[in-house]
Amino acid sequence: MPVSLKNLTTFGIEATCAELYEVHSPEQIPSYHGILSEPHLILGGGSNILITKNLEIPVIAIRNQGIHIEQENQSNIWVKVGAGVVWDELVHWAVSNGFGGVENLSLIPGRVGAAPVQNIGAYGVEIANALKSVTAWDKFTQRFCQISVQDCQLGYRDSYFKQKGKDRFIITEVTLCLQKPPTYKPILSYGTVLEELRKNYLEPFTIQQVRDTIVEIRRTKLPDPKVTGNAGSFFKNPIISYEQFVELQKDFPAIVHYRVHNEIKLAAGWLIEQIGWKGYRQGDVGCHPKQALVLVNYGKATGTEVWELAQKIQQSIFQKFNVKLEPEVNVY
């Protein structure tokens, strides 16, 4: 009998799957060999996915919990975290215990296991900054394995798990290295964060102050998926060559950009705003009025409607700027 996925994704779109299985312990996974040998979908917090149709395949939801201290010294602490832990609950735990390194990633929706896959990032920090390794079930060898941060091949919203390792692994645990005071130094390269901190606190800023400030900024700018269905930033910030940027800047002098080594990262939200999509709404699907990167479900939008809007935005950006926008969200 089909199972509803509406409450298992942050878009809150009505769709079903053939069967739903929940993994509360990694030891359960080998018993699912038959299911894993056929088409299936691994689901974490459902915060980075858009389902456009009913799925005729089983879904396996990763729900194993636990935060365990592996080792520590005067400067750092290593923690192993279950893939099913809600990401922001981990950040809350770290900050409450005085450990730094992930506070800039506060309020990012989803679960821990998906964080390395997407190499989640915000306000100048990526999980790559703290990740040491992941433990995963290898569907090919049918064994658990340890994958180092180097072998995760983390890039901008990218990883080995989205490329050569796609569909091969089920991440069950993530090991992070966090910082202890006084070694801890906040990363405040995003001006908005530093400005808000200076308005309310005196330097040096505490880990808790950094988290509180970022939570406040995100709540001001981004819709709560519990209220308005969304998956956060729908598109990646495009990265183009310096040569292409020079030509683009001639026509658009105010274009928002950031230098990334020898390339240029453009602000996708700025591009979308220039076309006039920000605040757009048709029926129950739209582009958020405060953050153009966020596509939203105002109630009864279908996944197809959201995807059609995303494609229209992609086409208009390409026509005006000759820049391709890639979805950050996985579309099924």
Side-chain angles (χ1 to χ4, degrees):
M1 184 175 177
V3 181
S4 174
L5 296 171
K6 182 176 181 178
N7 295 325
L8 296 180
T9 69
T10 58
F11 253 121
I13 287 171
E14 187 57 74
T16 62
C17 66
E19 295 173 289
L20 177 67
Y21 302 91
E22 290 194 347
V23 172
H24 293 280
S25 168
E27 286 70 32
Q28 289 177 253
I29 294 177
S31 66
Y32 291 144
H33 172 65
I35 298 167
L36 295 174
S37 64
E38 300 291 336
H40 60 278
L41 172 65
I42 303 297
L43 189 66
S47 62
N48 202 47
I49 185 172
L50 173 66
I51 299 177
T52 61
K53 60 188 176 183
N54 291 331
L55 304 179
E56 303 300 323
I57 57 174
V59 168
I60 299 175
I62 307 301
R63 296 292 181 263
N64 62 306
Q65 301 294 301
I67 301 174
H68 305 287
I69 296 173
E70 294 278 282
Q71 59 176 307
E72 60 182 301
N73 56 31
Q74 288 185 329
S75 304
N76 300 96
I77 185 162
W78 286 260
V79 293
K80 182 173 281 190
V81 189
V85 172
V86 172
W87 173 261
D88 197 56
E89 291 181 3
L90 165 63
V91 179
H92 172 73
W93 176 89
V95 173
S96 297
N97 284 281
F99 307 138
V102 291
E103 61 282 350
N104 288 39
L105 307 179
S106 291
L107 225 60
I108 291 180
R111 295 179 185 260
V112 167
V117 177
Q118 190 69 6
N119 188 20
I120 60 171
Y123 302 106
V125 173
E126 295 176 328
I127 193 177
N129 296 85
L131 185 69
K132 301 312 292 181
S133 66
V134 303
T135 304
W137 174 258
D138 186 336
K139 300 177 195 175
F140 290 3
T141 64
Q142 296 183 47
R143 293 184 179 182
F144 287 104
C145 60
Q146 194 97 349
I147 304 173
S148 70
V149 63
Q150 291 80 11
D151 290 339
C152 289
Q153 299 175 18
L154 303 180
Y156 173 58
R157 303 299 176 271
D158 199 14
S159 69
Y160 172 69
F161 307 107
K162 295 180 75 172
Q163 301 299 330
K164 291 183 179 179
K166 185 176 175 64
D167 297 328
R168 176 172 174 174
F169 300 95
I170 300 176
I171 295 176
T172 57
E173 292 172 310
V174 171
T175 301
L176 302 173
C177 178
L178 304 176
Q179 303 163 28
K180 292 179 174 182
T183 304
Y184 165 78
K185 292 182 180 178
I187 294 177
L188 304 174
S189 54
Y190 264 65
T192 307
V193 177
L194 187 56
E195 287 171 17
E196 291 301 313
L197 277 164
R198 285 175 172 166
K199 284 181 186 178
N200 300 298
Y201 308 105
L202 296 175
E203 298 188 51
F205 307 118
T206 67
I207 303 170
Q208 187 66 58
Q209 288 168 349
V210 174
R211 170 169 164 80
D212 290 345
T213 298
I214 286 173
V215 166
E216 186 60 32
I217 292 172
R218 288 185 69 92
R219 283 179 173 159
T220 301
K221 291 174 56 179
L222 301 171
D224 183 347
K226 295 176 183 176
V227 179
T228 306
N230 73 91
S233 297
F234 197 93
F235 300 104
K236 299 178 184 179
N237 289 319
I239 296 177
I240 63 174
S241 69
Y242 181 75
E243 292 73 21
Q244 183 182 355
F245 169 72
V246 170
E247 292 302 311
L248 200 55
Q249 195 178 37
K250 290 177 182 177
D251 294 325
F252 307 97
I255 190 167
V256 178
H257 64 282
Y258 313 91
R259 191 80 182 242
V260 182
H261 305 299
N262 295 321
E263 297 178 307
I264 301 294
K265 182 189 290 186
L266 304 179
W270 185 89
L271 299 176
I272 295 168
E273 279 191 51
Q274 305 314 300
I275 307 290
W277 286 111
K278 188 177 182 181
Y280 170 88
R281 177 173 179 172
Q282 182 173 10
D284 273 355
V285 66
C287 189
H288 196 258
K290 291 185 179 180
Q291 175 50 269
L293 266 181
V294 179
L295 303 188
V296 294
N297 167 22
Y298 285 108
K300 296 183 179 180
T302 66
T304 301
E305 289 172 333
V306 175
W307 182 229
E308 286 175 350
L309 174 57
Q311 291 176 301
K312 288 177 182 177
I313 292 173
Q314 286 176 306
Q315 291 164 5
S316 64
I317 296 298
F318 186 75
Q319 289 170 358
K320 187 174 181 70
F321 300 103
N322 193 31
V323 170
K324 292 183 179 180
L325 281 189
E326 292 184 27
E328 188 172 319
V329 171
N330 297 301
V331 181
Y332 288 87

